[in-house]
């Protein structure tokens, strides 16, 4: 099934013509309405009339998370605030979060691209979709919600957690499509078995997953446990949220919706790479009204394939994301930066500025341990005081990143030192 055959099967020549028209409109819009972009373009001696071909996009400056934070909260808006009907944010790392704003037209675009992706999964108006992605300021739950409503499917907006309740709802409501992170899906299946259910008998027809790193082995295990095909969903808050790219039944990469998002792949020096070469994904929004973004450096490592897919769609495909070009970690679907951990630790007296983050996946769920050096005065035989401090650190970190982690206090000078850049993170997960 194809939701929008006109756009999803468009010829490459017609697509390029459409992309150029929309790119020119976008550059004109940001130049006239976003002072930050006007300044950056003029600093690079670029003006809207200079964009004569798609190749000219390489002349445009990149946008980074730091750029978006500099203009927090509303400095990237390209329309008056009264036209913004919804706002989301990323988690704040070294201070301010990234704000993402939506006009009515933007919400319609979000629903459109997610409807395309859900249709790739086989979703129709007859389905019941149980959406365990988070609602709130995060974009996670909303993209799926809007796409499902666009199709006419029934949405159960249960959000995250409540694992036993999730299982009860799946059984009682006759859920046909589940949306979850891979690790949470595996955990759900375990709890279901503990409750006396066989997950293979839940009658699921499809699974949509995303928001964290995964392996093909994990996908196969999910499909085996729930007896349903599992499809990858990709997106990011800065661009629109989930729905930037999604898998079709061929599972040979994720179709990126190029009529709305223009992709590039670059190396660490910011130089363009050819199709098939792995590098950092860069995305320019082509239709976003409230907050257009030019050449956003996603930090996600992937490659791009422009050959026609076996499903009949002509839109390019990006390969599975296998890493990051920065130090961000995805833990249980949540973006975590070492700087957030450091920020929490610096609020507490008696700690040394030495710590180490260890991420593992011992069974199904990601686990994060933070080893923290204490001062000689604090590290003592008073077990009660040590436990109080440990609990306090755990609470501070949870307040900062939204996840409960294990904290281990260690003696002074026991964590490894480095003459160069300190090794703060040890990620033992295998992707």
């Amino acid at each position: 099934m194809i939701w929008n055959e006109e756009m999803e099967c468009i010829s490459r020549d017609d697509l390029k013509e459409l992309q150029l028209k929309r790119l020119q409109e976008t550059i004109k819009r940001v130049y006239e309405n976003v002072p930050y972009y006007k300044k950056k373009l003029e600093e690079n001696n670029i003006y809207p009339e200079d964009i004569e071909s798609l190749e000219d996009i390489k002349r445009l400056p990149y946008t980074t998370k730091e750029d978006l934070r500099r203009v927090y909260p509303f400095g990237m808006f390209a329309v008056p605030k009264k036209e913004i009907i919804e706002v989301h944010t990323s988690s704040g790392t070294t201070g301010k979060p990234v704000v993402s704003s939506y006009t009515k037209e933007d919400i319609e675009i979000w629903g459109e691209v997610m409807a395309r992706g859900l249709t790739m999964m086989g979703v129709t108006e007859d389905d019941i979709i149980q959406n365990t992605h988070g609602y709130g300021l995060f974009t996670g739950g909303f993209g799926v919600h809007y796409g499902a409503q666009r199709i006419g499917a029934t949405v159960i907006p249960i959000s995250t957690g409540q694992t036993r309740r999730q299982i009860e709802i799946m059984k009682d409501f006759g859920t046909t499509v589940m949306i979850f992170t891979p690790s949470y899906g595996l955990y759900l299946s375990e709890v279901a078995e503990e409750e006396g259910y066989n997950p293979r008998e839940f009658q699921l027809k499809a699974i949509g997953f995303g928001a964290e790193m995964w392996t093909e082995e994990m996908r196969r295990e999910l499909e085996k446990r729930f007896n349903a095909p599992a499809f990858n969903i990709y997106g990011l808050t800065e661009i629109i949220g989930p729905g930037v790219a999604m898998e079709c039944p061929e599972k040979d990469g994720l179709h990126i919706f190029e009529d709305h998002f223009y992709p590039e792949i670059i190396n660490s020096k910011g130089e363009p790479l050819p199709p098939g070469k792995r590098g950092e994904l860069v995305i320019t929004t082509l239709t976003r009204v409230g907050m257009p973004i030019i050449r956003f450096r996603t930090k996600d490592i992937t490659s791009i394939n422009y050959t026609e897919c076996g499903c009949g769609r002509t839109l390019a495909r990006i390969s599975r994301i296998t890493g990051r070009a920065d130090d961000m970690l995805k833990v249980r679907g949540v973006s975590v930066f070492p700087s957030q951990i450091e920020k929490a630790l610096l609020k507490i007296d008696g700690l040394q500025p030495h710590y180490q983050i260890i991420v593992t996946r011992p069974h199904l769920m990601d686990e994060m341990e933070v080893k923290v050096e204490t001062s000689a005065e604090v590290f003592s035989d008073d077990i009660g005081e040590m436990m109080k401090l440990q609990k306090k650190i755990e609470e501070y970190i949870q307040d900062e990143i939204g996840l409960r982690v294990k904290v281990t206090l260690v003696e002074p000078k026991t964590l490894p030192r480095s003459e160069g850049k300190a090794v703060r993170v040890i990620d033992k997960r295998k992707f």
Side-chain angles (χ1 to χ4, degrees), residues 8 56 67 159 216 282 293:
E8 294 178 70
D56 289 329
D67 289 319
S159 195
E216 284 296 341
V282 173
I293 299 293

Side-chain angles (χ1 to χ4, degrees), residues 15 69 72 86 166 188 196 211 216 270-271 315-316 352 362 386:
L15 176 61
R69 290 194 188 103
Y72 173 90
E86 190 165 315
Q166 299 269 10
L188 264 176
E216 284 296 341
E271 300 164 339
L315 298 174
Q352 297 296 306
M386 293 283 284

Side-chain angles (χ1 to χ4, degrees), residues 18 35 69 100 153 159 166 202 213 222 231 262 270 337 340 372:
L18 178 65
R69 290 194 188 103
S100 192
S159 195
Q166 299 269 10
F202 279 139
M213 298 291 234
L222 273 174
F231 300 86
Y262 187 86
F337 287 81
Q340 291 175 283
V372 186

Side-chain angles (χ1 to χ4, degrees), residues 13 26 34 39 74 84 99 110 142 150 164 217-218 274 328-330 349 351-352 373 379 409 429:
D13 287 343
T26 296
V34 184
K39 182 169 182 274
F74 305 139
I84 300 298
V99 174
W110 200 3
F142 286 86
R150 186 73 169 258
R164 283 173 172 76
E217 290 75 17
M218 181 177 284
M328 188 188 83
L329 296 163
K330 273 291 185 81
D349 293 332
L351 302 180
Q352 297 296 306
E373 282 190 16
F379 199 88
L409 301 180
R429 297 171 296 179

Side-chain angles (χ1 to χ4, degrees), residues 13-29:
D13 287 343
D14 287 346
L15 176 61
K16 287 179 180 179
E17 185 179 333
L18 178 65
Q19 287 175 322
L20 176 58
K21 177 177 178 289
R22 289 179 169 178
L23 176 63
Q24 290 169 331
E25 291 170 349
T26 296
I27 300 306
K28 185 173 186 292
R29 187 183 311 123

